[in-house]
Every structure is written in structure tokens, then in C-alpha cells.
Amino acid sequence: MEQGKYYIFTYGCQMNVHESEKLAGILEDRGYTKAGTPEEADVLVYNTCCIREGAEQRAMGNIGNAKPLKKNKPNLIVAVCGCMPQQKNVEATLKQKFPFINIFGANNVEFFGEYLDVFLKQRKYQNKILQDQDYQSNDKKIKIVRDNPYCAYVNITYGCNNFCTYCIVPYVRGRERSRPASDIFNEVKQLVEVGHYKIITLLGQNVNSYGNDLTEDKTTFPQLLEKLSKIEGDFQLRFMSSHPKDFSDELIEVIANNPKVCKAVHLPVQSGSNHVLKLMNRNYTREKYLDIIKKLKAKVKDLSISTDIIVGFVGETEEDFEDTVKLLQEVQFSNAYIFIYSKRKGTVAEKMEGHLPLEIKRNRIHKLLEIQKKYTNNHFLSLVGSTQHFVLVEEERPMHYIGKTQCGKVVKIKKNKTLCLGNFANIKITDYSGGNLYGEVE
Ligand code: SAH
Ligand code: SF4
Ligand code: F3S
């Protein structure tokens, strides 16, 4: 029975992108269909993020835009889900600012269907902010409406136990919970059997600590990768994010030797200074990080490494910042996501002494972005002449095909009869110019 249409705004990380696919499943199970624009929708869902102030401001601005929509369509249901309302007192603030919000969902999407059902029956404001005991790790029953026909996300852990001092995630996503390996195996197997899902991305805030909390069928992350790679079919396993403190030699071996495991590693370093890493509670040193990189580079052929960096953390001195610059120069990442430190309420860093003025943070980020630009460019240039394996052919254009390399770089591929949409190809990179990679079938 057609109930009406839904529109979902998604902010934040891959975890949220995937959760929006589950929210869509919950809505479609109840007879809603996808709207092309927010104006057409009968249910508007904001799946929010609060990792930095900017993410919150973007969501706030868009929630504000729902006011005139609600005026035109008084029965419009407005739901705010995701990480933002899980913060202390934020639900009350949002409700005061936007009294038209009908439902505050929560971070475990399972609950969203429940709230929606009650709201539809009673038309009464629904909210539930989760406590630790409410978090679950078993989402087998939820229908997932996947966005991408070739790439599928699969959760392996939820939540986070690391409490990096700058980070809000452990407060809004609860403690780390691993899904049973057999559930993950079955989900990946079903996806591979569908035939068109070629890239399976395993999701967790720290995939390397997968399994630490399992009591039955104990499995480590490298063991999980090995198990999943035994599934028959033409697919690749990717994963994110990795935490350096738990990045084992065993994992390096699996990346190096298992052809189904992607050769692009995202390994957030956050800072190159031991002083700052300690203040951040990252539990590794610059030396340990560089040691992992050295081993990876030695063992994995055609490896690309990307990272996340925070500049202007509380107490970061000019020398600390220079240590980060030097680390960037030493590792030469293929890509780095660089952020200005953003103060988050309730975190340990919020109360630390020595917050830096915005101007210093801005100067530092500009300097770092400028340096990284050179390495990103060098990485592109280094690909010319190489053969890239597992390039996924995603789109056909009049003059060429569009493919993506294992590390997510777009390649314009010369037309060739053997190329097939949604399949992997081995592509020889012939040129890099005007910001584009060009290639042809090997
Ligand atoms: N669990 C993952 C991802 C966490 S969020 C991991 O640990 O790698 C993604 C990135 O956002 C982090 O790696 C960090 O670089 C950045 N980040 C998190 N909190 C931040 C804050 N308060 N200010 C600025 N950047 C932040
Ligand atoms: Fe945040 Fe650290 Fe957990 Fe990543 S590992 S989500 S940065 S607390
Ligand atoms: Fe944002 Fe929550 Fe992800 S705060 S980065 S959506 S875990």
C-alpha cells in the first residue's frame, strides 16, 4: 500500500551513509517510496553527524529549511536521526529551535521503525535517546535499500571504545560491539551471490579491534578477512577505518597476500607529534606508525596509503606541527583528509588548557594542504605507466568509460569492446593531465 514518499538527508561518515540505506529499508517496508526532492516528501529524515561543528551547522541549516515545507504540508513528518541528537541536551535544544520536529530517532536504526509506527498511530511526538544498554549489534532483520549497484557496505562493528580525547563518537555511538562472524559471512555471501556487488566495504570505527568483545566463535579481523575471501565470486574486500594501535603484522600479511583484499589502506595518523598523540590518547607513537607504514610498503605491491590529520589540537606547538609536516613528507600519502580541530562538548579535550586561536589553526591547515597537494599530485603522476588491477568500470560516456581504481581515483578509459559496466578490468594508465587520469585496457 502506497503511504507516500520519503526523502533522506545524510551527513557524516560511511557508517551514516549505510544507516540511511537501512532507514530507507524501514520506510519502504512501510509502503513509502523514494521522493526525487524534499518538496515531494511526506517523510523527511535528517541523518545527522556531529563530528565537527561544521557538520552540525550544515544539518541545522537544512533542518531549518523544513519549516516552510511543513507549513505547506501540515502532515509532513520530520525526523532527526543519527549522531547529533545523541549528544547531551542537544535534543532539547533542537526541539526548541525547531518545534516542528516529530521524531528524534536514535543511532541504532532498528528503533526508527518503532517510533515511526507509534507516531503514525498516535500522531504524538516521539523521542528516544539511547543509553548504553539500548545499543544492539544485531541488525539482520532490517531491509537495506542499497544506493550503489556495485559497492555494498557491511557493518562489522558498531560504536567505539577508544575515547580519543577530541572525539565525540564514543559518546554518541556507545561501546564497541562486534557482529558475529557468521552473520557477516552470510551477509557478504548473499551480496556476492546477487552478482553485481563487486566491492564489499567492511565498516567499523576501528576495524582492527573486531572480535575483541566476542565470546563465541572468536575471530580476529585478519581471520575475518581470510574467511570472507573464501566466498566464491569476483569481488574485492575493502575496510575502514583502521586504528594504528591495533594494526597487526598478521593484517599486513593478509593485505599483502590475499588477492581479494584491497591494496589501498586508510590509516588515520591524526598527528606526527608524540606529544600531541599522547594528548589525543591515541596509544601509539610516531615511530610505531612509521614502522607500520614501512612494513606495509615493503610487503604490499602497488600499495596506496591515505590518512586523516587534525591540525591545531589543544596544546599543539609550532614544533608539534612541524613534526606533522615532516611525517607527511616522509610517508607521502596518496591522499590526506586534513581537518581543523573542532571543540566537542563533553569530550576530554574540551576541558584541556591551551586551545589555539582559529587564526593559527587556519594558517596550519593551509600550510599542510599546500604540502599534501604536491604528494597527491605525485601519486597521480606515479601511476602513469602502471597497470591498475581491479579497476571498477562504473559508467559509460560518449567518448570513454569511467572507472575507479582501488584507491578510489577516477580513470577515463578508452573505449574497448571487452569493457563491461559493473565489472573489474586491468587498466594501463597512459596519462595524467588536467587533473584526469587516462587509461586503456591492458
Ligand atoms: N573511527 C575513525 C573515524 C573517526 S571520524 C578513525 O578513528 O579513524 C573521522 C575523522 O574525523 C577522524 O579520523 C579525525 O581526523 C576527524 N575528527 C574527529 N573528531 C574531530 C574533531 N573534534 N575535530 C576535528 N576533526 C575530528
Ligand atoms: Fe573517534 Fe578515536 Fe573512536 Fe575514531 S577511534 S571514532 S577518532 S574515538
Ligand atoms: Fe559523524 Fe557519527 Fe559518523 S558523528 S562521522 S556520523 S559516527
Side-chain angles (χ1 to χ4, degrees), residues 49 79 91 121 137 159 166 200 205 210 220 227 237-238 318 328 345 373 375 407 414 420:
C49 169
E91 177 224 340
K121 268 199 210 114
S137 60
Y166 50 81
I200 309 289
Q205 295 298 345
Y210 172 79
T220 64
K227 256 189 210 181
L237 290 167
R238 300 187 181 175
E318 214 30 69
L328 224 65
K345 264 214 177 91
K373 212 158 97 187
Y375 295 119
C407 65
K414 196 169 155 190
C420 186

Side-chain angles (χ1 to χ4, degrees), residues 13 15 50-53 159-160 162 164-169 204-207 240-244 266-270 280 282 307-311 313 337-344 347 349:
C13 59
M15 203 75 88
C50 54
I51 197 82
R52 286 171 289 275
E53 204 185 328
C160 185
N162 294 308
C164 303
T165 52
Y166 50 81
C167 184
I168 194 79
V169 172
Q205 295 298 345
N206 172 5
V207 290
M240 66 187 328
S241 278
S242 280
H243 194 307
H266 183 64
L267 193 58
V269 64
Q270 313 299 358
M280 287 177 164
R282 289 290 287 178
T307 199
D308 291 348
I309 290 173
I310 296 177
V311 292
F313 186 62
Y337 302 88
I338 307 174
F339 309 104
I340 284 185
Y341 166 66
S342 169
K343 194 198 272 183
R344 303 285 69 206
T347 59

Side-chain angles (χ1 to χ4, degrees), residues 11-61:
Y11 309 87
C13 59
Q14 278 83 358
M15 203 75 88
N16 252 20
V17 172
H18 186 38
E19 267 157 27
S20 286
E21 297 178 331
K22 295 181 187 171
L23 291 168
I26 290 169
L27 286 155
E28 294 198 5
D29 259 350
R30 282 158 181 76
Y32 288 93
T33 54
K34 193 172 176 174
T37 62
E39 287 74 21
E40 285 171 22
D42 302 288
V43 183
L44 274 185
V45 182
Y46 294 87
N47 193 13
T48 60
C49 169
C50 54
I51 197 82
R52 286 171 289 275
E53 204 185 328
E56 291 204 284
Q57 281 168 349
R58 266 194 303 282
M60 292 276 239

Side-chain angles (χ1 to χ4, degrees), residues 44 53 61 93 131 138 170 228 259 272 285 288 439:
L44 274 185
E53 204 185 328
T93 314
Q131 306 302 321
N138 194 342
L228 298 176
T285 58
K288 152 117 193 209

Side-chain angles (χ1 to χ4, degrees), residues 395-435:
E395 227 183 290
E396 186 176 0
R397 299 256 176 95
M399 304 301 286
H400 43 246
Y401 280 92
I402 300 286
K404 262 203 206 113
T405 65
Q406 291 192 55
C407 65
K409 305 266 191 275
V410 174
V411 193
K412 294 185 170 177
I413 310 167
K414 196 169 155 190
K415 286 215 168 173
N416 180 311
K417 280 199 202 77
T418 61
L419 286 169
C420 186
L421 275 185
N423 276 6
F424 288 122
N426 291 337
I427 300 296
K428 172 133 184 162
I429 305 296
T430 50
D431 196 11
Y432 174 62
S433 67

Side-chain angles (χ1 to χ4, degrees), residues 239-373:
F239 51 87
M240 66 187 328
S241 278
S242 280
H243 194 307
K245 84 179 165 68
D246 299 309
F247 206 96
S248 62
D249 287 349
E250 203 186 339
L251 179 58
I252 297 176
E253 291 300 325
V254 176
I255 299 171
N257 300 321
N258 191 321
K260 284 218 164 86
V261 177
C262 177
K263 309 303 171 211
V265 177
H266 183 64
L267 193 58
V269 64
Q270 313 299 358
S271 168
S273 143
N274 282 337
H275 165 235
V276 173
L277 287 172
K278 192 151 196 175
L279 289 174
M280 287 177 164
N281 189 35
R282 289 290 287 178
N283 283 304
Y284 56 86
T285 58
R286 166 196 181 87
E287 292 73 27
K288 152 117 193 209
Y289 185 86
L290 290 172
D291 189 47
I292 299 172
I293 299 291
K294 201 166 120 196
K295 286 184 192 156
L296 273 168
K297 283 185 174 171
K299 299 229 160 167
V300 187
K301 219 173 138 256
D302 299 326
L303 172 75
S304 76
I305 309 168
S306 57
T307 199
D308 291 348
I309 290 173
I310 296 177
V311 292
F313 186 62
V314 193
E316 184 187 76
T317 63
E318 214 30 69
E319 293 79 64
D320 292 325
F321 175 67
E322 281 308 317
D323 280 345
T324 302
V325 170
K326 278 187 219 134
L327 185 125
L328 224 65
Q329 289 164 337
E330 194 167 335
V331 181
Q332 308 201 2
F333 296 101
S334 65
N335 204 357
Y337 302 88
I338 307 174
F339 309 104
I340 284 185
Y341 166 66
S342 169
K343 194 198 272 183
R344 303 285 69 206
K345 264 214 177 91
T347 59
V348 173
E350 182 204 1
K351 311 220 167 49
M352 287 179 179
E353 298 278 324
H355 284 264
L356 301 180
L358 188 59
E359 202 190 330
I360 294 188
K361 297 191 208 176
R362 284 209 175 122
N363 285 343
R364 289 184 185 169
I365 197 169
H366 283 140
K367 194 165 170 198
L368 222 52
L369 285 169
E370 209 43 49
I371 293 170
Q372 180 54 37
K373 212 158 97 187

Side-chain angles (χ1 to χ4, degrees), residues 16 19 46-49 80-86 105-107 172-173:
N16 252 20
E19 267 157 27
Y46 294 87
N47 193 13
T48 60
C49 169
V80 177
C81 302
C83 291
M84 212 166 134
Q86 274 295 130
N107 248 335
V172 293
R173 294 243 168 199

